[in-house]
Amino acid sequence: MRVVITPEAQSDLRRIALWIANDNPSRAISFVKELSQAAKALAGLPHGYPLIPRYERRGIRRRSYRRHAILYAVRIDRVIVLRFLEPGRDLDRALGLR
């Protein structure tokens, strides 16, 4: 199964990198790489993380990685990474459901 990262999720990675880079540029690069690898690893166990309450009908799941959320949906032939969110981000707003 392949993993597809949406443009919104790519934008999230850039935003996270810029935020971390304010304090530690080298860690920003390594953290975003780790976060991306955690998302790509979903291909091996796509149903291994729970559906998010209130988003079950949409099939949206969450994997946590070092306090960040990887929001994704499983389709027949792929995993679609929808967003990468920092702690405290509003899910409805991030998913455009508000």
Side-chain angles (χ1 to χ4, degrees):
M1 184 168 291
R2 70 186 184 108
V3 175
V4 175
I5 299 177
T6 64
E8 295 84 5
Q10 290 287 351
S11 179
D12 293 335
L13 288 174
R14 285 189 294 277
R15 188 186 66 255
I16 291 166
L18 289 172
W19 178 258
I20 295 170
N22 285 327
D23 292 327
N24 190 339
S26 62
R27 180 59 182 141
I29 294 167
S30 65
F31 182 75
V32 167
K33 186 174 182 178
E34 290 171 19
L35 195 54
S36 296
Q37 288 173 339
K40 290 175 185 169
L42 293 169
L45 192 62
H47 297 283
Y49 296 91
L51 289 164
I52 301 172
R54 293 188 9 222
Y55 298 93
E56 295 98 336
R57 285 190 353 217
R58 297 175 186 269
I60 300 175
R61 297 173 177 272
R62 173 186 0 224
R63 177 185 176 178
S64 294
Y65 182 81
R66 297 191 181 217
R67 299 183 56 224
H68 285 68
I70 303 170
L71 305 182
Y72 70 99
V74 179
R75 300 296 181 250
I76 293 171
D77 61 341
R78 66 189 177 275
V79 173
I80 302 170
V81 177
L82 303 167
R83 300 300 301 258
F84 292 96
L85 302 180
E86 305 93 321
R89 287 281 309 270
D90 183 299
L91 292 179
D92 288 341
R93 182 169 289 157
L95 292 170
L97 301 176
R98 204 179 248 195

